[in-house]
Amino acid sequence: MSAEAADREAATSSRPCTPPQTSWFEFLLEEALLEQHLQKPSPDPPPVQLIVQFLEQASKPSVNEQNQVQPPPDNKRNRILKLLALKVAAHLKWDLDVLEKSLSVPVLNMLLNELLCISKVPSGTKHVDVDLASLPPTTAMAILLYNRWAIRTIVQSSFPVKQVKPGPPQLNVMNQMQQEKELTDNILKVLKEQAADSILVLEGALKLSKDLYVHTIRTLDLLAVEPGMVNGETESSTAGLKISAEEIQCQVCYDLGAIYFQQGSTNAAVHEKAKEMFFKTKELIAKNGSSSLHFTIDEERLAGYCQACGVLTLSSDDTSQQATPYSQIHRCMKSGNYQDIVNIFLEDNLTLSLPVQFRQSVLRELFQKSQQGNDALDEVCFKVCMCNTVCDVLQGRTVDVQFCQLFLKPSKEKIDFLLEVCSKSLNLENASEALKRKMAAFLKNLCLGLEDLQLVFMISSHELFMKLLKDDERKLLIDQMRKRSPRINLCTKPVASFYDIPASASVNIGQLEHQLILSVDPWRIRQILIELHGMTSERQFWTISNKWEVPNVYGNVILGIKDSLTRDLVYILMAKGLHCCAIKDFVHAKQLFAACLELVTEFSPKLRQVMLNEMLLLDIYTHEAGPGASGERPPSDLISRVRGYLEMRVPDIPLRQVIAEECVAFLLNWCENEYLTMQVPLPLVQTNPYVKLGQLLAATCKELPGPKESRRTAKDLWEVVVQICSVSNQHKRGNDGRVSLIKHRESTLGIMYRSELLSFIKKLREPLVLTTILSLFVKLHNVREDIVNDIAAEHISIWPSSIPNLQSVDFEAVAVTVKELVSYALTINANNHFWLIIQADIYFATNQYSAALHYYLQAGAVCSDFFNKMVPPDVYTDQVIKRMIKCCSLLNCHTQVAILCQFLREVDYKTAFKALQEQNSHDAMDSYYEYIWDVTILEYLTYLHHKRGETDKRQIAIKAIGQTELNASNPEDVLQLAAQRRKKKFLQAMAKLYF
């Protein structure tokens, strides 16, 4: 007879013969359904929830004639119900992973206790006192299962649990949940008390060399029919599911490792035992294969445990220590052997095994130590940063800003080390073409960014450079570097010289076109075009590259030039110049534009003005990217040219809107508010939307320090922006005759589209202008009726507090704009505390509480020298503190809530006491008591711990309250100093948590 047939026969024979009463009939129906499922050929297991149903029915208390509640009776019905629950678990092969995911702790505890009972475990005897080797195999296996579950449950209870958001309150559901929570806590308390015994039982199991057996449906049925017979059969190892000794050891080692790891936070020796267990588990899985195990092991978690143990333990075996780079780096950081860290990173650049986040965290830690006064670490920081940068390049990531900062002043030594890193990070024999191209592009861009030609030739003459770049690429690059000089003004070249260059002998058209595409030398471009036109007159050479793009307003004029050579030359020079502008290659752009200006001056005043306008835009870009970036004011000549462009009245000149946009942004960035407010011509304001917007912004910024009655321009600016953010509504009649409302996102009511306004604002860098426009959008965001959490901003009071037609404003677009603006503003100045508060408020309003705390703390840190000074009260207002309190509360950091309640102008004792009453806190709890300076809160803590019987925590609170500087009889300045010192330490501790 097959095992499946035996299971079906046993299940049928164990059906009870009882009169079909109502509840009994339902039970029989459930049993029949279970047996029907077990008879299916499908491998799908029965629902685990059947176990819950069977055990709940079996454990229902009875009521006697006096209406007294009695324990569940030990009758045939309840015994069969418990047997059915065991059958479901047996069908699942007693897989604890499956059972733990689906069953609560009380239900699984009841199930395993029933397994112990049916497996004839001696009652009244501790498991630790039983010799597993002398017990029947199924009995020993039941004891192992129970103690493994006990250890796993203890470990699982130590992990933080995400709180489920409660639904609508229902009294019966809440009572049931509370009862289950109390029952779970009681079981956990007993399991933790017996943890030492469970560990000893599992350690004893590692000595077993024989295979064990676990109950199946067949053995459970035999137990129900003839208990004595199956006991004998089990003892002779002929019944049940066979579990090999190696599989048992694998599971027990994993569970022991988990409990050792949990206990090892205060004991390094226990961490060593955990490491031994985990590595033994790994060996057993490698030996037997994970697929052969009846009980699965989470191999990802096992790998994490092994990695953590490798870092946390310090082995005397050098070979094992060198096996993981993490442990080596950890040891080097502790011992101060920083040069070895550089070597590890260099080696890893070939394998790329270390995650980028880990590399960055090591560099951050080294930077922090360097900033604390260890000047010797500056060189180490540079070397580690170089290793990280080359790693980023090879993996296709952008170069980090730290590399750019460290390379502001390059030297021969820095170049030498960087070339060494590049050489050791790329195995040219085995490297792919993609890796070689990435490294070549990096070295080429590095050369283009260096001003010192000697350093450039150091790179270009290096062996790696010569192998990665072809001869013509190297020659072209070196020629570009030799010709490059920012001091040469190409506009001064004589006009006649342009046509005096002789053309060379003709060559293949394809080669010439290729050279034409690559060249950025205007004189070489002209020479190539002369040769091409000499070879054929049928081609339009301005079309050979789809990368050559000229705005339509210019293209129509250029393509109207009759002479084909001149037309091609003007179009290509302008297209290449605009492309160089786009990629910030301003030197070549200036050369190309100067040559184009020289050419068109002879025959087209209209194109001459176009080129002058483009050269003005180029000069603005050049200044903003160069001297302007370091705060140097632009020369008066450039400011005059910008004003001249805005006031220009030459008819029929094609104009690009971006030039007017950049000119207005340029004047705002350099505080030319007087010109924009008083001197700009009125017709220009009426015809150019950017000029009008710039005038309103400049006037509002001028009036910010003034009284309220002088803020009429602020109201004008408000109305302009509200119109831009309004939606135009249209009514449309559908097929059913109903009239529906259609909203157009981009309103045509304003002076420009919202996307154009956002693009213009992102060209601004002046803090006052950015703060003004940002506060306007924040106020507009707060005006909506359904807003729950306002966002705070500087100067927000100058704006109107209401809008006549709220329905017309697209508040979704406003919210998106606020987020984009504050993100942009922080790229301009990441240390502006008002902008950081706005970012924090946005995260708070969108329920991202951890991110909100990060920015609230960062705002306080940047204006207080990382909390070494007092945070200004206009930064940490009561509203900000209350929001920080709510963030901590919703993150279940209740001790932090109580401490922050002290920061308010009037201490919020009610919130603090309520928070301290919470026992499920995810913060450091009693280790935070040293940051409390309010005696009332400390006294309440002492009372609370005394009431709970928590002696150790009560002593910590008493120690905190007993400090002499907190004595109420002390002078006020002493008490203030004590409070300030605790504020500083607490905020610094919080910053380390959330930064």
Side-chain angles (χ1 to χ4, degrees), residues 523-541:
W523 317 104
R524 177 62 183 151
I525 291 170
R526 183 253 175 194
Q527 186 180 20
I528 293 171
L529 280 173
I530 290 174
E531 293 186 21
L532 286 170
H533 276 272
M535 298 170 74
T536 175
S537 59
E538 299 175 357
R539 295 284 302 276
Q540 294 181 334
F541 293 104

Side-chain angles (χ1 to χ4, degrees), residues 494-503 523 526 530 598 602:
V495 175
S497 66
F498 189 83
Y499 284 105
D500 293 339
I501 303 175
W523 317 104
R526 183 253 175 194
I530 290 174
E598 181 181 343
E602 297 184 351

